[in-house]
Amino acid sequence: MNPSKTALEIVHHLPPHYLERTLRQDVRAGLTKPVKTLPPKWFYDQRGSELFEQITQLPEYFPTRTERQILEDHAGEMAAASPTETLIELGSGSSRKTPLLLDALKAAGDLRSYVAVDVSDSALTEANSGLSRDYPDLILQAVAADFESQLQLLPREGHRMVAFLGGTIGNLEPDARARLLTQVRELLGEEGGSLLLGTGLVQPPEILIPAYDDPRGVTADFNRNVLRVLNAELGADFDVEAFEHVAVWNEAEEWIEMRLRATRTMQVQLPGAGLEISFDRGEELRTEVSAKFRPGKIAAELEASGLTIIGQWTDAEERYAMTLAEPS
């Protein structure tokens, strides 16, 4: 039975209380370091998701619309280069760009199913309900899983394309990127398949920094939202407005860093994590890295994971790349 024809059933691979436990672990590990950090996945409660949608509409923030334009222009070429029976989208979120790929893959004649993978039940339900109306003949599957550690649990039937869009791979540091790409290679197996990867390209700081520090303050509000999440989920008492948003270009790592800078000395209680932490005035908490890539670096990281590029498309200004790779 096609699950899209009945109430959507989400296949849950996340253990009970997984998100709550992982949040506590990340907070304990990151906020007790000499240089405090948090992973960017904790921006995204409902308010955080709404703020990010606003960011994607800002004139300074080009990655989302640039990736969409590349798909509009070249999805047919991507589909022709990698005939696909099952499209698997990692971190699918709202799946707003997904129809561009689905249409191209359907036109190529082989597509039978779409698998959305995300940790958020609400995102999976919203995305798949819309797709079920527009693609009544497509088998839709929703999988609640952590793509960093649970790729081995995803479907392996037929020729698969794994789509990892939005430049999200840039939020992972090099070791984590290497692990993920290796796991994707294992998921593709020997039956044939491909990875479609979206990556931001290295640009001058005067182009990149405004994309992460807009004059309207939307990105600043989004950045501070991680503190609201900690207040809500862990009973923390962050004074959210006492932190200012900072975006810097790390030339050595070739990534943007988003940080929150304490504007005064403070003590913060996080009872849900069993922590009390202090901030000095001017101390910074790193909340996100967004790595940018050069074409040679993309190729090298894919090759190291057992994947070979079979196609690559960029926008006219070469700010963003979509790379199609298959097992070597």
Side-chain angles (χ1 to χ4, degrees), residues 264-281:
R264 59 177 175 83
T265 300
M266 66 188 85
Q267 292 288 120
V268 180
Q269 306 291 329
L270 296 97
L275 286 179
E276 178 182 353
I277 58 173
S278 61
F279 283 87
D280 294 328
R281 182 180 180 182

Side-chain angles (χ1 to χ4, degrees), residues 16 22 51 63 73 98 102 107 118 123 148-149 169 191 202 213 235 247 265 277 286 300 318:
T22 303
L51 286 168
D73 294 342
T98 307
L102 294 177
D118 205 287
E148 289 192 63
S149 60
I169 196 165
E191 299 86 354
V202 173
D213 191 10
T265 300
I277 58 173
R286 194 187 75 187
E318 297 189 345

Side-chain angles (χ1 to χ4, degrees), residues 121-142:
D121 281 16
S122 59
L124 289 168
T125 300
E126 179 182 357
N128 278 267
S129 62
L131 293 175
S132 67
R133 293 191 299 270
D134 297 332
Y135 299 92
D137 298 326
L138 200 63
I139 298 171
L140 302 180
Q141 301 178 55

Side-chain angles (χ1 to χ4, degrees), residues 100-162:
L100 296 169
L101 261 182
L102 294 177
D103 290 344
L105 292 169
K106 279 176 64 66
D110 297 305
L111 187 68
R112 295 202 306 262
S113 63
Y114 168 67
V115 181
V117 183
D118 205 287
V119 297
S120 168
D121 281 16
S122 59
L124 289 168
T125 300
E126 179 182 357
N128 278 267
S129 62
L131 293 175
S132 67
R133 293 191 299 270
D134 297 332
Y135 299 92
D137 298 326
L138 200 63
I139 298 171
L140 302 180
Q141 301 178 55
V143 179
D146 185 338
F147 62 71
E148 289 192 63
S149 60
Q150 295 183 312
L151 290 192
Q152 75 278 7
L153 302 175
L154 299 183
R156 292 174 175 264
E157 298 80 17
H159 196 285
R160 299 171 298 286
M161 177 186 285
V162 176

